[in-house]
Amino acid sequence: AASLALAPLAALAHHGQDFLIIESPSVTHPGNVYLLANAAAALESDAEEQAGFEPALLVGVAPRVALELHAHTEKLAGDSWNYEATAPSVHVLLTDPERHDGLKAGLSAEYEIAREADAADRLELRLSLEQNFDAYKWGGNLIYSREQGGEDEFGVALGLRRAVGAHVALGAEAQGAFDHAEGRELLGGVYW
């Protein structure tokens, strides 16, 4: 039980999840399988509490390719947990997997299959970039998404973090759509 509880922590460090909202280009080694858990809680401006949970299975299938399957669940204040969608995805590392320095680049594609008949499926593509320099690491994503029957949307996510110890870093991340009508997300982070 203890090894299962620690699996998400080891997986996050291993397959290159170096930021909270930015997808890293790194992929897991072939044959490695990880169970991941992503949980979030937020207080919206209208004081409606909400939470989300996304369990995932990540499998390395080649030195540059990993497959992932995850689920989206949500809980609004006063409601029960709601299973919203299943999302298979593929992650491809474009740069040399043997290099541990310099610029890393990757592509990912996710297709979210909505559970409810009246909800739309969604496609998301990301170009991921990441680089270390001295105690700093920056990362960025160019994001394309489209809901079934909807319009094309483009966005960006950017982040910068600085190591302040052997195992701790401080940083900031931002994410938003290029369309000014969409909301933006900005957060500070302590990374361990």
Side-chain angles (χ1 to χ4, degrees):
S3 63
L4 282 177
L6 295 175
L9 296 175
L12 289 174
H14 178 76
H15 78 279
Q17 296 297 323
D18 296 313
F19 294 94
L20 297 171
I21 58 176
I22 297 170
E23 186 173 298
S24 297
S26 299
V27 298
T28 189
H29 295 294
N32 287 0
V33 178
Y34 293 97
L35 296 174
L36 306 172
N38 184 15
L43 184 60
E44 298 289 328
S45 59
D46 62 359
E48 182 176 271
E49 216 176 286
Q50 79 181 37
F53 180 64
E54 295 180 12
L57 178 68
L58 178 70
V59 180
V61 295
R64 294 178 190 240
V65 180
L67 299 177
E68 180 180 346
L69 181 65
H70 65 270
H72 295 268
T73 63
E74 181 180 70
K75 182 182 185 318
L76 299 177
D79 290 343
S80 298
W81 281 94
N82 181 34
Y83 168 66
E84 295 184 325
T86 300
S89 61
V90 61
H91 305 275
V92 179
L93 177 63
L94 300 175
T95 52
D96 184 356
E98 299 301 320
R99 283 191 58 200
H100 301 289
D101 60 345
L103 182 68
K104 291 181 184 176
L107 284 174
S108 67
E110 173 183 305
Y111 190 78
E112 187 177 284
I113 303 161
R115 177 180 169 256
E116 302 292 332
D118 60 346
D121 290 356
R122 183 173 171 272
L123 171 69
E124 181 178 281
L125 305 173
R126 284 186 185 238
L127 170 64
S128 304
L129 303 171
E130 185 176 276
Q131 186 169 13
N132 290 326
F133 52 98
D134 297 326
Y136 291 91
K137 176 177 283 202
W138 71 268
N141 297 157
L142 290 176
I143 307 163
Y144 165 82
S145 63
R146 181 184 178 105
E147 275 193 5
Q148 187 177 26
E151 305 231 348
D152 296 331
E153 294 181 19
F154 297 91
V156 65
L158 299 169
L160 178 67
R161 57 184 262 183
R162 183 184 193 287
V164 293
H167 301 288
V168 177
L170 301 174
E173 299 179 48
Q175 177 173 263
F178 291 134
D179 178 357
H180 294 290
E182 294 292 326
R184 307 285 192 280
E185 185 174 1
L186 175 65
L187 59 92
V190 178
Y191 309 89
W192 173 66

